[in-house]
Amino acid sequence: MIPDTDIAVNGTPTGWRTVPFWSLFRREKKTGFPNEELLSVYRDHGVIPKSSRDDNHNKESEDLSGYQLVTEGALVTNKMKAWQGSIAISRYRGIVSPAYYVYTPQSDECDQFLHYLLRSDPYIGLYSRISKGVRVNQWDLEHEALRNIPVVLPDLSTQRKIADFLDRETARIDLLIEKKQRLVALLAEKIRAFTFKAVTQGISPSVPMKRSSLLYQETLPEHWQEVALGKKMTLQRGVDITKDEQNQDGQYPVISSGGISSYHDQFTCRGPGVLIGRKGSAGRLHYSESNFWAHDTTLYVKNFFGNDPKFAFYKLATIDLESFDRSSANPTINRNFVHPVKVSWTQDLTEQQEIVSSIERLESQIEPIEAATNASIDRLKEYRSALITAAVTGQIDAETYTKQGMAERQLDTFEVEVSQ
């Protein structure tokens, strides 16, 4: 047994036994199946087809012959992210990256129970303790460490009851999470739609309109122009600065492509300012009221030509800036491709400010609802994790919990939060 492999639970229930991981699973590496479906392991979703989600930006190799075969019932772990919970029993046949570990079952234990158990909080905490590496993002859970961990099991009948209970209850929780996520998406879409209409056609319903030659809108106000974006704002590449060069106690934010990365006692731009992620988080928009340091990974608006900076920010938000990525390797946006983009524009500064105010009013109404809903989603996820841990470690009895209606009462509370 390797050191520090105790599972932190409130005692092992009577009749439960402890077995080593190696008695349940054996590592296998079968390659040469390049035509099988590509799979990924997610902390929140387990093993699923990579094509089923659009948030996995890891590029697969052109040659998939070295990828490993996964069959239904196999345990798959991403050794670099196991400490985050990227370990799961697969319900799909397919292939995974050579960087993963694939294990075939060697026992008659209930694999769905093992799926929940090995993804529960005590085990994720254990993976963190036994992973090795210099930096957190480079921690690896090696096979030799994993194969020796203790696995605490009830009898097979109890395993199946717990697995059935968790299948039922987590499905209900997941549906409620999805419902709340749809609400957040609808709120965000409401802001996007209003913003688009406001900065392309104005907010006055009675203003005379004229035909537009722009692809994304049929008409625009008569007093508005169709003009190249570069005529209304000039983009400039930011200035590189290393961590060692920065004074972290400074008051000015250093804004990189992903947002504020640190602070410094000097600034390169006076606020208010607008920035676009140039590389890394290419196309991501940022707005700063204060003076700031525009990092080399951004493009910032050097000259607004007298236009309202916040209006310029909202205008850029309606443009698919990511589509200007001209790099095949690292996402990169070249300002020379953005400047010629034709847009509709009002030169009336008062009108620009009225448009900004109308958008900000809507945001101020929606943002508290969005924040409360996201907080409720976080609580639901915490409840889900706690329920799984309590069930797979014997802290609650699944049958009693169900008969007493405890899950229903808890979910009713979360359901009410959706409608408030």
Side-chain angles (χ1 to χ4, degrees):
M1 184 75 68
I2 63 175
D4 196 20
T5 56
D6 289 338
I7 299 298
V9 296
N10 297 325
T12 301
T14 302
W16 289 39
R17 68 195 191 282
T18 300
V19 301
F21 178 89
W22 60 258
S23 69
L24 303 174
F25 297 98
R26 183 181 70 234
R27 184 186 173 196
E28 288 192 348
K29 189 173 184 179
K30 296 181 179 179
T31 58
F33 299 86
N35 296 322
E36 294 284 349
E37 183 168 32
L38 194 60
L39 306 176
S40 288
V41 187
Y42 284 80
R43 175 182 56 192
D44 294 331
H45 311 290
V47 180
I48 58 173
K50 187 175 185 290
S51 60
S52 66
R53 299 189 62 82
D54 58 7
D55 56 357
N56 186 338
H57 304 297
N58 294 327
K59 299 288 187 182
E60 63 270 16
S61 301
E62 292 185 9
D63 180 8
L64 300 179
S65 60
Y67 278 51
Q68 303 174 83
L69 179 67
V70 174
T71 54
E72 185 175 355
L75 177 72
V76 185
T77 176
N78 181 339
K79 68 175 183 176
M80 293 180 290
K81 294 184 178 180
W83 61 274
Q84 294 179 332
S86 292
I87 179 171
I89 300 287
S90 179
R91 297 302 168 201
Y92 299 91
R93 177 186 170 94
I95 52 175
V96 294
S97 165
Y100 289 13
Y101 288 144
V102 179
Y103 297 89
T104 56
Q106 300 297 302
S107 74
D108 294 326
E109 309 294 346
C110 175
D111 63 357
Q112 188 67 353
F113 173 84
L114 291 170
H115 172 79
Y116 286 117
L117 179 68
L118 295 174
R119 289 166 56 80
S120 64
D121 289 341
Y123 278 88
I124 293 173
L126 173 59
Y127 305 147
S128 294
R129 297 198 300 276
I130 64 177
S131 294
K132 296 183 182 294
V134 177
R135 297 180 182 142
V136 172
N137 288 335
Q138 296 176 345
W139 280 357
D140 275 0
L141 176 55
E142 295 296 344
H143 166 63
E144 286 303 316
L146 183 61
R147 75 185 299 274
N148 287 308
I149 67 170
V151 182
V152 184
L153 300 170
D155 61 74
L156 186 58
S157 175
T158 302
Q159 290 180 36
R160 288 171 177 160
K161 288 178 182 177
I162 292 173
D164 290 344
F165 166 76
L166 289 176
D167 281 346
R168 181 175 63 254
E169 296 305 326
T170 57
R172 295 170 62 196
I173 295 169
D174 290 343
L175 282 174
L176 189 50
I177 289 174
E178 185 180 343
K179 181 177 180 180
K180 289 171 179 277
Q181 288 173 333
R182 285 199 301 269
L183 173 59
V184 171
L186 286 172
L187 292 172
E189 179 55 35
K190 183 175 182 179
I191 292 177
R192 280 194 298 269
F194 182 85
T195 299
F196 181 85
K197 188 174 188 303
V199 300
T200 58
Q201 295 186 318
I203 55 175
S204 174
S206 58
V207 65
M209 306 294 283
K210 63 183 178 183
R211 296 283 299 178
S212 167
S213 65
L214 302 172
L215 294 176
Y216 55 83
Q217 64 182 104
E218 294 183 358
T219 59
L220 70 157
E222 279 190 355
H223 63 286
W224 283 41
Q225 304 171 279
E226 292 182 9
V227 63
L229 192 65
K231 298 292 185 182
K232 300 302 177 182
M233 63 181 84
T234 302
L235 297 173
Q236 177 67 44
R237 181 171 168 171
V239 179
D240 195 17
I241 183 171
T242 66
K243 291 289 185 184
D244 292 338
E245 294 170 333
Q246 297 173 31
N247 179 358
Q248 299 294 322
D249 295 326
Q251 62 177 310
Y252 304 112
V254 177
I255 304 179
S256 60
S257 63
I260 296 176
S261 57
S262 57
Y263 287 84
H264 192 36
D265 57 4
Q266 299 178 44
F267 61 89
T268 59
C269 308
R270 294 190 178 277
V274 177
L275 305 92
I276 303 171
R278 184 180 68 84
K279 63 179 181 179
S281 300
R284 188 169 173 181
L285 269 178
H286 308 284
Y287 183 83
S288 177
E289 285 286 356
S290 68
N291 299 339
F292 59 94
W293 185 291
H295 193 270
D296 173 62
T297 57
T298 67
L299 298 172
Y300 69 93
V301 179
K302 182 179 180 180
N303 190 344
F304 288 98
F305 297 108
N307 293 292
D308 185 90
K310 201 64 177 285
F311 178 80
F313 170 80
Y314 285 128
K315 189 69 182 183
L316 286 169
T318 67
I319 300 171
D320 182 12
L321 294 169
E322 288 187 46
S323 67
F324 295 98
D325 170 19
R326 293 296 189 271
S327 172
S328 58
N330 297 318
T332 305
I333 293 179
N334 188 323
R335 58 182 174 160
N336 294 323
F337 296 120
V338 181
H339 282 155
V341 175
K342 284 291 188 71
V343 295
S344 57
W345 197 277
T346 174
Q347 197 57 40
D348 186 330
L349 186 60
T350 299
E351 184 177 18
Q352 289 182 13
Q353 293 169 342
E354 288 173 349
I355 289 171
V356 168
S357 296
S358 68
I359 296 171
E360 290 180 333
R361 278 195 299 273
L362 179 62
E363 288 177 335
S364 68
Q365 295 168 6
I366 287 179
E367 284 173 355
I369 303 172
E370 187 177 47
T373 306
N374 280 323
S376 183
I377 290 171
D378 289 340
R379 288 193 293 273
L380 264 171
K381 290 180 177 179
E382 291 171 0
Y383 170 63
R384 188 184 193 278
S385 294
L387 183 65
I388 291 172
T389 294
V392 298
T393 57
Q395 297 175 61
I396 61 170
D397 179 78
E399 290 188 75
T400 303
Y401 199 85
T402 301
K403 289 176 181 178
Q404 292 179 346
M406 297 175 72
E408 284 80 359
R409 288 196 296 274
Q410 185 65 59
L411 289 183
D412 284 346
T413 301
F414 288 116
E415 182 72 41
V416 168
E417 292 179 346
V418 176
S419 58
Q420 288 182 340

